[in-house]
Amino acid sequence: MNDNDRRQYSIDLDIDLKSLDLIKENKYCIIYVADTPHGRRIVKKYKGEDSSLVKIESDALTFYHELAQNDSDLMDSGVPLLREDKNLLCIGFIEGDAFSDVLYRARKDEVVRNSSIRLMRILGRVIRTIYDTTRKPEEKTSPFIFEYFYYCSNRLHKMPILGDIFFKKISEDSIEIAGEFERSNIEPSFIHGDLVFKNIHVKGERLGLIDFANANSLSHPLNDICNLSFALANMILPKSFKTELLEGFHLGMGKLDFPQSVKRFYYEYHRRRWLMLKLTSRNPVDFMQGVRGLLTFARHSAPEIMMP
């Protein structure tokens, strides 16, 4: 623990941080867990002078608090404490286990397995509620979505050896796929932005969402749905269990029908994003996961596997 940081953050946030322990650091921020007189908190210190990222996460957490405080199935992280001028954010700690850990336990425990399917139904209902309450008919999809789609496509195309074998025309067809999507004039809505199982905490029959750093108010539920689906596809779980989990999720969401061009875009967005992150990683485990995915679930195929 850096005691100077603890004292300074206590002053900046006007809260007594009795401890400050590093969780992780990335190129955007440093993340700590802290003990306070009001319980454990997450403290995030964003790097640089630009406060746009910390403001986006704070706004997203405020929205989640407003949603969770009236939903008995959700665990609430409370109102975030923001010091925008200091690029500093304090967030209520959501207890429980990462849903990813729960799913692996479910392989040998039928009770946990059935509970996980019920939790997926809750998650589907929550994503549907978010979509229904945040749709913006007069707005267009965030330009960032397209920029990142092109970025992932180009990175894959330029990969040595694999690029020529598997992604030779991926940059060209990205323009076609994005163009068809834009012509659909789909209504954008709020998304979590990194809806994977490690960012869902589970305690009993309740769940809580964490890490809204990639939230976007002008995207689409298929963004979160495809992200979650690729994360599930990559997990070493029985195929029948994965099917039951997705069925529970879609049952919770209820019937939704989106244009094929929208399904195709977000499927390809996350297929390319996932492959780019895995295949360009210096971690050999990530790279091998990417190769396995490229040859199996992350092949160029119909998006119905993600969204029936």
Side-chain angles (χ1 to χ4, degrees):
M1 176 181 69
N2 187 322
D3 208 46
N4 291 331
D5 286 344
R6 181 187 63 80
R7 286 195 293 267
Q8 186 59 55
Y9 294 167
S10 293
I11 294 170
D12 293 339
L13 293 166
D14 193 23
I15 186 171
D16 181 13
L17 302 178
K18 297 184 177 299
S19 66
L20 189 70
D21 298 310
L22 179 68
I23 297 178
K24 66 178 180 179
E25 180 177 359
N26 57 43
K27 64 180 180 179
Y28 301 109
C29 64
I30 308 172
I31 307 172
Y32 305 90
V33 62
D35 288 315
T36 78
H38 308 289
R40 298 171 81 190
R41 295 287 188 271
I42 297 295
V43 175
K44 298 184 76 169
K45 172 65 174 177
Y46 275 81
K47 299 176 180 178
E49 302 298 323
D50 185 2
S51 64
S52 59
L53 293 179
V54 74
K55 183 67 166 56
I56 287 171
E57 184 167 12
S58 178
D59 289 346
L61 285 161
T62 299
F63 167 73
Y64 175 69
H65 161 65
E66 292 169 354
L67 181 74
Q69 66 177 337
N70 297 314
D71 191 327
S72 60
D73 291 325
L74 291 178
M75 292 184 284
D76 185 10
S77 55
V79 180
L81 180 58
L82 172 66
R83 274 298 303 268
E84 191 172 348
D85 60 322
K86 299 288 187 178
N87 252 350
L88 199 58
L89 186 64
C90 185
I91 309 162
F93 189 88
I94 291 184
E95 301 286 349
D97 299 321
F99 203 176
S100 51
D101 295 337
V102 174
L103 292 179
Y104 281 125
R105 289 206 304 269
R107 291 181 297 186
K108 297 181 180 180
D109 191 324
E110 187 174 355
V111 173
V112 179
R113 178 172 176 145
N114 292 334
S115 175
S116 297
I117 296 168
R118 289 194 296 271
L119 287 165
M120 286 293 281
R121 187 180 299 186
I122 292 170
L123 183 62
R125 176 184 63 75
V126 170
I127 297 303
R128 176 62 181 267
T129 299
I130 291 173
Y131 174 59
D132 288 341
T133 57
T134 65
R135 292 165 66 176
K136 296 182 178 178
E138 304 304 318
E139 299 280 357
K140 293 186 179 296
T141 298
S142 167
F144 169 78
I145 301 296
F146 301 105
E147 292 167 7
Y148 194 60
F149 179 60
Y150 294 136
Y151 170 78
C152 294
S153 300
N154 291 333
R155 284 288 303 275
L156 289 170
H157 174 69
K158 293 177 180 178
M159 285 191 67
I161 303 174
L162 291 178
D164 287 334
I165 297 174
F166 294 101
F167 310 115
K168 194 170 186 179
K169 296 184 178 180
I170 200 168
S171 294
E172 296 175 22
D173 71 16
S174 64
I175 298 172
E176 173 205 342
I177 292 169
E180 289 179 355
F181 172 82
E182 288 191 272
R183 287 190 291 275
S184 73
N185 293 316
I186 197 74
E187 293 178 357
S189 62
F190 177 91
I191 62 161
H192 176 276
D194 194 12
L195 193 66
V196 293
F197 292 97
K198 67 181 177 64
N199 288 335
I200 304 167
H201 280 193
V202 170
K203 188 174 184 180
E205 295 296 315
R206 302 173 71 205
L207 58 84
L209 305 184
I210 66 168
D211 195 354
F212 284 82
N214 295 299
N216 193 315
S217 62
L218 295 173
S219 186
H220 192 273
L222 281 174
N223 195 328
D224 277 343
I225 293 167
C226 287
N227 196 2
L228 189 74
S229 297
F230 269 101
L232 180 60
N234 188 45
M235 297 181 74
I236 308 300
L237 297 170
K239 185 177 180 180
S240 60
F241 185 32
K242 292 181 181 181
T243 299
E244 289 176 316
L245 290 167
L246 284 178
E247 287 175 348
F249 178 85
H250 290 303
L251 185 62
M253 276 204 72
K255 182 66 176 176
L256 283 173
D257 188 24
F258 300 120
Q260 189 67 19
S261 60
V262 179
K263 294 181 183 180
R264 184 187 183 199
F265 176 80
Y266 278 112
Y267 171 79
E268 283 296 323
Y269 178 96
H270 278 286
R271 184 178 82 93
R272 297 174 190 205
R273 172 184 178 273
W274 188 87
L275 286 170
M276 185 271 291
L277 292 173
K278 294 294 183 179
L279 294 174
T280 61
S281 173
R282 295 180 180 179
N283 184 324
V285 175
D286 285 342
F287 180 79
M288 291 309 299
Q289 286 179 349
V291 171
R292 177 173 63 87
L294 182 61
L295 299 175
T296 55
F297 63 84
R299 296 192 305 268
H300 183 72
S301 58
E304 280 75 11
I305 65 168
M306 300 297 178
M307 182 68 180

